[in-house]
Amino acid sequence: AYDRGNTIALHSYTHEYDQIYASVDAFFEDLDQIAAVVQEQIGYVPCFIRFPGGASNGVSRHYCEGIMTALSQEVQARGYQYWDWNAATGDGESVTTEESIANALSAESQTIVLLCHDGELKETTVEALPAIIEGFQERGYVFKPIDRTSTVVHHEIFN
């Protein structure tokens, strides 16, 4: 993906909410773990991240009150830029290929950051992507890698 010009961003090493959202230190310990893996693969640590569950996730409150507010500020203080999404395929749940396509293409914004998941159980996402890409291209959208000049998409923070 990196060699083809795609932006590589950090997400998490464990994706275990009870661990990563236990404290600010716990989050950065997990982030440092995935950063080391990515650095080994591409030669540097990316500055872009996406919080598991997004910045708006409320589940983090179960583990540490106010952590998303603290993390959204601290990641930027440490030189990272966090991203959320403003459109989704709905593949975080069980959806058909057709539902994924419809969900994605219902997005209307000048800049669209589309949330899709990968993994062995996400076959419908892979099946839906060609139609999603074609649908957005037909509407005049251009796909570009994220960089420091890209319009950043953030959610409202609830914790």
Side-chain angles (χ1 to χ4, degrees):
Y2 173 73
D3 290 340
R4 290 190 305 269
N6 292 288
T7 302
I8 305 299
L10 304 176
H11 186 50
S12 77
Y13 188 82
T14 64
H15 213 278
E16 298 291 336
Y17 287 16
D18 62 333
Q19 293 175 36
I20 59 177
Y21 292 137
S23 69
V24 170
D25 288 342
F27 175 83
F28 280 103
E29 287 172 16
D30 185 273
L31 190 67
D32 289 345
Q33 282 185 281
I34 194 61
V37 171
V38 173
Q39 182 171 22
E40 184 178 309
Q41 296 293 313
I42 67 172
Y44 68 94
V45 175
C47 62
F48 303 114
I49 69 167
R50 182 174 74 78
F51 294 116
S56 61
N57 85 73
V59 70
S60 60
R61 179 176 285 112
H62 298 293
Y63 310 112
C64 185
E65 185 70 35
I67 192 163
M68 296 314 301
T69 298
L71 287 176
S72 66
Q73 296 166 3
E74 186 60 26
V75 294
Q76 293 179 98
R78 294 188 188 199
Y80 293 102
Q81 176 59 65
Y82 75 92
W83 282 75
D84 288 306
W85 59 93
N86 59 3
T89 61
D91 67 359
E93 304 296 323
S94 180
V95 293
T96 66
T97 300
E98 293 74 23
E99 289 169 328
S100 280
I101 295 166
N103 289 340
L105 294 179
S106 69
E108 294 188 18
S109 180
Q110 185 174 3
T111 299
I112 295 177
V113 177
L114 181 66
L115 177 66
C116 300
H117 293 85
D118 64 353
E120 65 182 276
L121 300 177
K122 300 299 178 189
E123 291 178 15
T124 59
T125 305
V126 174
E127 293 168 359
L129 280 175
I132 291 169
I133 292 167
E134 288 174 17
F136 280 124
Q137 288 174 329
E138 288 170 2
R139 289 167 50 191
Y141 285 92
V142 178
F143 291 81
K144 296 180 182 178
I146 292 171
D147 64 26
R148 285 284 191 181
T149 66
S150 301
T151 302
V152 179
V153 173
H154 283 172
H155 290 167
E156 183 176 352
I157 297 171
F158 299 112
N159 178 29

